[in-house]
Amino acid sequence: MTTHTSTTTHTATASTDIALDQDGHLCDHTIWTPVIAQQLADTLDVSLTSEHLQILQQVRAFFVKFNHAPATRPLIKWLQKTLPGYDISNQKLQQLFNTGLVARHVNRLAGLPKPPNCL
C-alpha cells in the first residue's frame, strides 16, 4: 500500500510504515536497517548480498564523516579506499545495483538523501 501526499510517500510493509520523500529516499536516515535497504532494493530488482551491505555501510560512513551524500566520483574513491578488496568501479556498481544512476540509487538504498546535482 502506498499513499501520496504533496512531498512524502509512505510505503507500508508487513511491519513498518516508511516515510519516503518525492524521490523515494528515506525522510529519516536514522531509521535505516538492512531490511529497509532490501525493501528499497526491491524497486531495482536487486537482492542484497553481504557485498551490497558492506558498500551501503561505507556509503553511510561517508555521510557521517562528511555530512552529505556522496556524488559518483567521491563515492567511488571512498569505496576504493575503504573496501580495497572489492575492486570498486562505476561499472561494477552499475552491475551490482542494476542501475546507471549509481550515486542516486546507492545513496537511496543506504537510506540517505539524494546527492546534490543528481538527476
Side-chain angles (χ1 to χ4, degrees), residues 90-103:
N90 192 37
Q91 294 79 10
K92 181 172 182 172
L93 292 175
Q94 286 177 4
Q95 290 172 347
L96 275 173
F97 291 95
N98 196 27
T99 181
L101 301 172
V102 170

Side-chain angles (χ1 to χ4, degrees), residues 24-89:
H25 294 253
L26 289 179
C27 290
D28 177 3
H29 70 88
T30 65
I31 68 165
W32 182 89
T33 65
V35 171
I36 290 173
Q38 183 57 65
Q39 292 169 357
L40 296 171
D42 290 344
T43 66
L44 298 173
D45 293 324
V46 173
S47 292
L48 298 180
T49 64
S50 62
E51 183 176 18
H52 290 96
L53 292 172
Q54 288 278 342
I55 290 167
L56 296 177
Q57 291 286 5
Q58 284 305 317
V59 174
R60 292 180 63 78
F62 181 103
F63 183 81
V64 167
K65 182 170 181 155
F66 300 107
N67 203 29
H68 66 86
T72 302
R73 282 190 182 150
L75 168 68
I76 291 169
K77 285 185 179 223
W78 176 261
L79 293 174
Q80 288 171 338
K81 176 182 167 187
T82 59
L83 298 171
Y86 285 102
D87 194 29
I88 298 293
S89 68

